[in-house]
Amino acid sequence: MSVPSIRLVELSAPAAAQDEQRPVLLLGPALGTALVPLWGGVARELEGRFRIIGWELPGHGGAPASSEDFSIKELAQGVLAAVDAVEELPAESSFWYAGCSVGGAVGLQLLVDAPQRVRGAVITASAPQLGDPEQWRERAALVEAAGTPTQVIGSAQRWLTQDFIERDAAAGTGITTGLLHALQSADRHGYAQVCRAIAAFDLTGRLGEIVAPVIAVAGEQDPSVEAQAVRDWAQQVPGARFELIEQAAHMIPAQQPTALAGLIRELAAQTPGSASTDPLRREGAPSSVGDSAPGCASAQAPAPRAGGDRTASQTHADGMRVRREVLSDAHVDRSEANKDEFTAEWQDFISRYAWGEIWTRPGLDRPMRSAITLTALIAAGHWGEFEMHVRAALRNGLTREQIKEILLQSSIYLSVPSANNAFFHAKAVFDRLDAEAASASSPATTDRASSDDEGVTS
């Protein structure tokens, strides 16, 4: 076993690559992929915000396979060595990180082994242990003997949803073919080396050591790393936030680049208390503000809004993005279609201030914001908005059981009649969702036209 040599790929424009004031975003690939087909869309979304550097797996994206096998720990060491070799970067500089699948596993390894280097990480379609070790060893043996083309059909089925593949083919954007071409071109020995490294990977006992902010991202239709598995490990990381990306399978960066780029921007807004600014966290110690229990939101006070010099149009754009992520595209599209000359300014106000200024703040995660919003709406008796935000709470990661607990808590601190009304309206939403799921075989949180439409209010 040895530390492999890692090839970096510069994804920033030349001017950004020389800008030492711009924070570094390091991107990690998935098994069988090359960096540009997987992360190119995200990099374009983030152009100008970061200096974006990616790394290729040994034997992938034109990089040579390693001369020896390696572990995920050694792979992470190779990534750090490659970053440290970039001349214009300060020695042992810190960076933001985003990785998919095995790239996410490397991110977790970096978070526990080099906390002073990672300012925060978006870990996508990954986990501290990735599947059955014996199956990985069997796949390594097959690919080493017969090559990566043996993996094309199965990978296409796991990587992307069928409707995306069809749309991509019709539009001629080439995302699917780019990913599969990279798979076919991968060195069979390099692919097998990564499989064996994954087989031996297990960080399940070390997640509590992570001190940097983390967003754990799952694809709603990912058969490789299921959403519940991601949610479960995220609960073991102090202050981590779970995000479910709808209409996405395993290759979330390729299929949903806008949504993932938005999460990276939100992560980078959590500057106070990050590894780069808080000396206690640089040493791997708890934040001076106070530790949070695993699975809970950070106990730190809300961080100041990043990008305080944003223009009104930028704030509106951020607000619309979060609004769509929380309420769904269909929901917001209906609201936008219904606005007219009388309500247009109100819609702009809501998008900029409610969604662009408050919901984008990094100090609370979205499940916590949903819990607060539901309680406030119960107190005020705004039942139409309450039903809308019950749906939003499910999209934000709260379970029906957790929503029930919020309503029970409200009965004590508000009133029993208020909670009684809340149970009535919440059950009405659940019943509609169950009926929609039964009739259309769609996920329970899919949004459709219904009586809990936001109209002109939010």
Side-chain angles (χ1 to χ4, degrees):
M1 303 285 279
S2 65
V3 175
S5 176
I6 299 297
R7 192 180 82 176
L8 299 182
V9 177
E10 185 75 60
L11 295 178
S12 299
Q18 303 303 319
D19 185 355
E20 295 184 3
Q21 302 302 313
R22 200 163 286 177
V24 172
L25 172 64
L26 189 62
L27 300 177
L31 175 64
T33 70
L35 196 74
V36 172
L38 179 61
W39 285 102
V42 173
R44 287 189 291 274
E45 292 274 348
L46 296 173
E47 183 61 52
R49 174 66 177 82
F50 302 91
R51 176 176 179 181
I52 306 173
I53 303 172
W55 58 273
E56 300 283 14
L57 286 162
H60 293 62
S66 178
S67 58
E68 297 181 48
D69 274 6
F70 48 82
S71 64
I72 297 296
K73 182 181 182 71
E74 290 167 329
L75 187 56
Q77 292 171 351
V79 170
L80 283 182
V83 172
D84 288 339
V86 178
E87 291 183 359
E88 62 269 23
L89 294 180
E92 297 189 352
S93 59
S94 62
F95 47 81
W96 300 98
Y97 187 88
C100 180
S101 194
V102 68
V106 169
L108 289 172
Q109 190 77 56
L110 290 168
L111 285 163
V112 299
D113 286 349
Q116 75 281 6
R117 304 296 301 275
V118 186
R119 303 173 69 175
V122 174
I123 306 298
T124 302
S126 192
Q129 187 175 32
L130 292 165
D132 180 16
E134 185 56 35
Q135 290 181 0
W136 284 112
R137 287 189 283 266
E138 290 174 358
R139 190 193 295 192
L142 171 62
V143 171
E144 206 148 40
T148 55
T150 59
Q151 301 301 303
V152 170
I153 294 177
S155 294
Q157 294 169 343
R158 295 188 300 270
W159 284 2
L160 302 165
T161 59
Q162 185 59 40
D163 63 328
F164 176 84
I165 293 174
E166 293 171 357
R167 291 197 310 271
D168 181 47
T173 46
I175 296 171
T176 305
T177 55
L179 286 169
L180 295 179
H181 178 73
L183 172 60
Q184 288 183 298
S185 301
D187 179 271
R188 60 178 178 166
H189 300 295
Y191 187 102
Q193 288 170 338
V194 178
C195 287
R196 288 190 288 268
I198 294 172
F201 175 65
D202 186 357
L203 280 182
T204 52
R206 300 190 63 190
L207 296 179
E209 300 174 27
I210 295 174
V211 295
V214 171
I215 301 178
V217 184
E220 184 183 38
Q221 300 177 54
D222 185 355
S224 299
V225 184
E226 294 183 352
Q228 188 59 50
V230 177
R231 189 193 302 272
D232 288 345
W233 73 254
Q235 291 177 343
Q236 301 174 51
V237 177
R241 163 180 157 194
F242 170 80
E243 287 287 341
L244 181 67
I245 304 295
E246 294 186 340
Q247 299 178 355
H250 194 54
M251 295 301 170
I252 299 172
Q255 190 167 352
Q256 295 286 1
T258 300
L260 199 54
L263 293 177
I264 294 171
R265 277 193 294 265
E266 288 185 37
L267 180 79
Q270 300 185 42
T271 303
S274 72
S276 64
T277 60
D278 187 329
L280 288 175
R281 292 178 72 87
R282 282 201 299 272
E283 295 299 322
S287 164
S288 58
V289 181
D291 286 335
S292 57
C296 298
S298 171
Q300 297 178 31
R305 279 290 296 129
D309 57 350
R310 291 180 304 165
T311 65
S313 62
Q314 289 170 332
T315 304
H316 183 277
D318 287 345
M320 285 298 289
R321 172 181 52 77
V322 175
R323 187 179 173 192
R324 288 180 178 279
E325 289 167 3
V326 173
L327 300 177
S328 85
D329 286 336
H331 195 106
V332 177
D333 286 344
R334 287 197 305 273
S335 183
E336 288 291 293
N338 289 335
K339 74 180 182 182
D340 54 23
E341 183 178 356
F342 181 70
T343 61
E345 291 182 53
W346 173 244
Q347 288 290 324
D348 175 71
F349 175 87
I350 289 295
S351 294
R352 282 190 292 122
Y353 288 98
W355 297 104
E357 291 289 350
I358 300 303
W359 276 85
T360 57
R361 290 180 62 85
L364 297 174
D365 62 17
R366 287 189 188 171
M368 176 66 78
R369 291 193 184 278
S370 278
I372 293 168
T373 302
L374 290 176
T375 305
L377 292 172
I378 294 169
H382 297 313
W383 300 115
E385 289 269 318
F386 174 79
E387 291 195 9
M388 178 185 78
H389 276 280
V390 168
R391 286 184 178 241
L394 294 171
R395 290 173 60 86
N396 280 343
L398 290 179
T399 65
R400 296 187 185 193
E401 186 69 21
Q402 289 172 319
I403 291 173
K404 180 183 76 175
E405 292 299 324
I406 293 168
L407 307 193
L408 289 170
Q409 188 85 359
S410 298
S411 72
I412 301 300
Y413 291 96
L414 296 175
S415 72
V416 169
S418 295
N420 188 51
N421 257 332
F423 271 100
F424 173 82
H425 287 282
K427 187 175 186 304
V429 174
F430 296 157
D431 289 346
R432 283 197 295 273
L433 290 169
D434 291 341
E436 291 167 7
S439 63
S441 298
S442 60
T445 56
T446 297
D447 199 4
R448 299 174 184 275
S450 66
S451 61
D452 56 314
D453 195 29
E454 62 176 332
V456 299
T457 57
S458 34

